[in-house]
Amino acid sequence: MNQQPGEGWATKQGADNLTPPKTPLLISLALSSVGYFWRQAIRDVQDQLKITVLAIAILGYVTHTIIDTVKGFHNIGLRKSQPKSYHNFADNRCWCCSIPNSSDVLSNIPFIIALYPAWKLYHYEIDLAGEPIFHDSRESIAWFVCFFGTGLVSLGSAYYHWRPTNSRLVWDRLPMTMSFMSIQYILLTETLGVEIMMSNSWLLWGLLVSGFGSVVYWAIFDDLTLYKTVQFLPQMLCPLLLIGFEPIYTMRGFYVVGLGFYALAKVTENNDKRIYILTKGVISGHTIKHFCAALALYTFYFQMMNRIKILTPQTKI
């Protein structure tokens, strides 16, 4: 029997979805303003000072997260648990080939297309004009991880939405952290400088381990504190990195467009039922979320294949 829009859906989502913490959002807005004036008024200041300030900001936020995690470890009442009602999505119709939750399962297909740029990076590392894409070929590793992780999301997310449970959600979130952390590393490379990041390539693997660890910690202790930091830290730092530092590639604004698509994905996810009712049961907010998140990655790929390298002191290798 076809379900009517909103029928059988939890009446309150509240904290069910991973809504961005208010503090990081406020910090992000503040960093946008600070970054602009930083770049305009302090152009003659050595990059080392900027890097120091950035490191202090990251360290402060991560320290805050660790303190919250330790508190939750010792006091269950302080943990940011995953509500069971999170799995009650608006659209649970079975309309295609006996696939349960058909819309949310099949809308993961766009993610698997990300395996194509991953394959291309693994074999070629050249742009549409046949020129090398990167200042340093080692930059391709982080991009490969990003696209390969997104391709795996298509499998993990489809597996989860087939029968939504916490245990299945683990396999959705693990590959997502590959994309989150590799994008963070890419942004750091393209702002702090190729020489710095390539000589500290261990940072990419450290970020990936921390991403995996945040999901494992949630799965064991039912505390989302670490995972929320992994998910939203790149968005929080993006304004400062893009505005406060000189670019080493053109078309850097496409990062903002891509992150904008991801922000839209979160908005539609948090309005899953409202959108389902508004469209009279045609499509839910969570299904739209999958398409918006895929568009974010396509935007990054378009930028990567069409941009032009800029020769600056940060590009020395």
Side-chain angles (χ1 to χ4, degrees), residues 144-304:
F144 173 82
V145 172
C146 175
F147 291 122
F148 185 71
T150 302
L152 294 181
V153 166
S154 66
L155 303 178
S157 183
Y159 173 72
Y160 162 64
H161 283 288
W162 191 282
R163 189 171 72 247
T165 61
N166 270 7
S167 60
R168 284 174 169 249
L169 185 55
V170 171
W171 301 105
D172 183 9
R173 287 179 171 166
L174 280 174
M176 279 198 286
T177 63
M178 294 175 66
S179 297
F180 296 148
M181 294 292 92
S182 55
I183 284 293
Q184 183 63 74
Y185 183 84
I186 289 165
L187 286 172
L188 289 170
T189 299
E190 297 186 10
T191 51
L192 303 186
V194 176
E195 181 181 16
I196 293 175
M197 298 305 294
M198 292 304 102
S199 60
N200 294 278
S201 56
W202 56 268
L203 181 59
L204 172 61
W205 310 114
L207 288 170
L208 291 174
V209 170
S210 67
F212 291 151
S214 71
V215 177
V216 173
Y217 184 85
W218 160 69
I220 296 175
F221 298 104
D222 191 25
D223 187 357
L224 289 166
T225 302
L226 291 177
Y227 180 73
K228 284 187 175 183
T229 297
V230 166
Q231 187 174 23
F232 296 114
L233 186 60
Q235 299 173 64
M236 186 186 74
L237 292 177
C238 181
L240 182 60
L241 291 173
L242 296 183
I243 300 175
F245 291 83
E246 297 293 335
I248 65 172
Y249 294 101
T250 60
M251 302 177 66
R252 193 161 62 164
F254 277 80
Y255 283 124
V256 178
V257 175
L259 291 174
F261 276 126
Y262 185 74
L264 181 60
K266 299 307 295 181
V267 170
T268 56
E269 177 187 32
N270 293 330
N271 291 276
D272 186 28
K273 180 185 178 183
R274 292 187 184 93
I275 294 174
Y276 191 58
I277 294 175
L278 185 64
T279 61
K280 301 186 183 302
V282 174
I283 192 169
S284 69
H286 199 90
T287 300
I288 295 176
K289 171 212 172 180
H290 290 163
F291 293 128
C292 290
L295 282 173
L297 267 294
Y298 295 161
T299 301
F300 294 153
Y301 177 66
F302 177 82
Q303 180 248 33
M304 182 191 71

